[in-house]
Amino acid sequence: MSISKANNHSKDLIEKAVAGHDLTRDDIVQLLSLVGKDAEILLAAADTVRKQYVGDEVYLRGIIEFSNYCERNCLYCGLRTGNSKLRHYRMTEDDIIATAKQVKKMQVPTVVLQSGEDSFFTTAIICRIIQRIRKETGLIITLSIGERSYEDYQAFKKAGADRYLLKHETASAELFQQMRPGCKLESRVQCLQWLKELGFEVGTGNMVGLPKQTRETLADDLLFMKDMDADMLGIGPYIAHPETPLAASPNGDVELTLKVLAIARLITRNANIPATTALGTLDPEGRLKALQAGANVVMPDFTPLKYKNLYDIYPGRTDVGSPADIIAKLKNDLASIGRTILFGDGYRPGKTINSQTNI
Ligand code: 5AD
Ligand code: SF4
């Protein structure tokens, strides 16, 4: 759908975004409010910019959820300490390495080690796991294990980790504190800054549909992502988990999430943006829709089947089957929208925003 079909004001705004001009908070609020044809045009514009800056190849990251213990008590999350119904697991080091070898075998170049905030996995243990994966598989390593000290992050980098995911979740300091008791947005931002300083490729991102969230706070999320100059952006809908205090809070809206994702592509240009599992959970077509609205990354879950269902952040996660099945299905799905898998490193292509060299 072409921009010329949008109404005049929407058309100007979308054109401004496509041209890479800075958007104000109010511009973003207006883009988030687009509906119907205008919203479709926004998503299509993000798809064009995605193609221009990061190409048609979809980058893969293989996830291993190695522990579902978490010492935090976030109101929205099924792994919270307060969820006494959760059956816990921790993978052994050998299990983690064996799973990383599966990732390697499927030619996925990057592994994401993800867990709740679990201090059982001390700095020394995590470093040993990183070193073993590096030595035994050569995979690029991404960590997603929450807030730690500067010294920990430094040790992880030295051990061979390259990337770190730490979603800011919401840029509203007040909402952040309500949703994550005992945590502060400020500390999270400090962690992200440390990670950047240490030379990690850094990922951040938000949830769409948290209670009390507004279009204005979503616009702040997007401005935060741009200011952070993050390399990766995870944007997913909130999904209600029955064993949390937010059980009665409605799920996030898929269309709104896609608009947030599209604007993230338009304002960051070359960031790596996954089509999140949460989108695929709320809508069977969610991941493919995201890949046509600015996303360029898919993160297949390699967690062994016996643990996968226990990583119960939110209900209904669908990525089941063996790694080979998951990759085969993904290839088919991607072919149906004219996309292919990139088996290269998948670093953020060119780092300078709005630079011609990225095209
Ligand atoms: N719905 C959607 N995403 C969630 N996360 C945690 N709980 C939920 C939920 N109920 C996401 C958060 C966090 C990651 C571990 O999972 O964004 O960063
Ligand atoms: Fe723990 Fe992260 Fe879930 Fe919060 S969102 S309870 S820190 S796993």
Side-chain angles (χ1 to χ4, degrees), residues 70 72-74 76-77 79-80 115-117 169 180 311:
C70 186
R72 306 266 190 198
N73 210 17
C74 305
Y76 46 78
C77 177
L79 304 194
R80 66 199 304 271
S115 69
E117 296 207 4
E169 313 293 1
R180 304 177 57 90
Y311 204 80

Side-chain angles (χ1 to χ4, degrees), residues 15 57 99 170 180 218 238 240 260 291 307 324 339:
E15 267 171 5
E57 289 173 313
T99 310
T170 170
R180 304 177 57 90
L218 283 172
Y238 159 74
V260 175
L291 287 166
Y307 301 127
R339 306 277 279 278

Side-chain angles (χ1 to χ4, degrees), residues 74-79 114-116 144 165-169 180 188 205-208 210 234 236-241 244 246 251-252 278 311-315:
C74 305
L75 264 53
Y76 46 78
C77 177
L79 304 194
Q114 191 158 60
S115 69
S144 175
L165 304 180
L166 190 72
K167 290 172 70 173
H168 69 280
E169 313 293 1
R180 304 177 57 90
R188 202 144 181 104
N206 68 342
M207 255 179 295
V208 178
L210 291 172
Y238 159 74
I239 302 175
H241 189 298
T244 65
L246 296 188
N251 290 339
Y311 204 80
D312 186 25
I313 300 180
Y314 50 77

Side-chain angles (χ1 to χ4, degrees), residues 28-279:
I28 296 176
V29 169
Q30 291 191 48
L31 288 174
L32 289 171
S33 312
L34 296 180
V35 291
K37 283 232 152 33
D38 289 347
E40 276 177 46
I41 291 163
L42 171 70
L43 305 191
D47 196 42
T48 308
V49 169
R50 183 272 309 154
K51 189 180 171 76
Q52 203 181 356
Y53 280 80
V54 296
D56 276 337
E57 289 173 313
V58 173
Y59 304 180
L60 298 190
R61 282 81 163 96
I63 304 192
I64 307 177
E65 293 149 345
F66 64 91
S67 161
N68 70 352
Y69 281 85
C70 186
E71 286 146 29
R72 306 266 190 198
N73 210 17
C74 305
L75 264 53
Y76 46 78
C77 177
L79 304 194
R80 66 199 304 271
T81 41
N83 179 7
S84 56
K85 297 231 173 107
L86 183 68
R87 266 206 300 137
H88 281 108
Y89 73 90
R90 285 188 180 108
M91 288 173 66
T92 64
E93 267 178 62
D94 285 344
D95 250 358
I96 297 172
I97 306 299
T99 310
K101 287 182 178 164
Q102 290 279 323
V103 175
K104 171 82 177 175
K105 196 167 148 207
M106 296 313 300
Q107 293 177 285
V108 174
T110 308
V111 67
V112 181
L113 298 177
Q114 191 158 60
S115 69
E117 296 207 4
D118 182 4
S119 56
F120 171 91
F121 285 91
T122 58
T123 315
I125 298 178
I126 295 285
C127 286
R128 203 163 57 218
I129 295 171
I130 294 169
Q131 282 158 347
R132 280 191 63 190
I133 294 180
R134 287 294 308 151
K135 189 155 158 254
E136 296 179 39
T137 69
L139 288 168
I140 298 167
I141 298 170
T142 306
L143 295 177
S144 175
I145 60 174
E147 292 179 36
R148 298 250 180 164
S149 67
Y150 181 86
E151 289 70 28
D152 282 10
Y153 291 149
Q154 194 170 34
F156 300 153
K157 188 78 182 60
K158 212 165 145 216
D162 300 279
R163 302 173 178 158
Y164 206 102
L165 304 180
L166 190 72
K167 290 172 70 173
H168 69 280
E169 313 293 1
T170 170
S172 154
E174 201 189 333
L175 186 56
F176 185 97
Q177 222 167 324
Q178 282 168 9
M179 293 289 116
R180 304 177 57 90
C183 302
K184 275 199 151 55
L185 180 61
E186 216 179 294
S187 319
R188 202 144 181 104
V189 174
Q190 174 65 265
C191 287
L192 284 165
Q193 270 153 0
W194 285 337
L195 289 160
K196 286 193 79 161
E197 243 172 77
L198 287 163
F200 282 92
E201 266 208 339
V202 171
T204 193
N206 68 342
M207 255 179 295
V208 178
L210 291 172
K212 298 191 201 162
Q213 200 174 38
T214 60
R215 290 197 186 109
E216 282 71 20
T217 58
L218 283 172
D220 291 338
D221 283 340
L222 283 156
L223 291 169
F224 176 82
M225 294 178 205
K226 166 122 175 128
D227 280 353
M228 251 343 275
D229 191 19
D231 304 296
M232 299 167 281
L233 298 172
I235 295 161
Y238 159 74
I239 302 175
H241 189 298
E243 298 301 330
T244 65
L246 296 188
S249 222
N251 290 339
D253 180 72
V254 170
E255 304 310 317
L256 181 60
T257 308
L258 290 170
K259 283 187 274 182
V260 175
L261 194 152
I263 298 167
R265 166 61 65 209
L266 289 168
I267 64 178
T268 68
R269 320 303 272 177
N270 61 357
N272 282 325
I273 304 182
T276 47
T277 314
L279 261 172

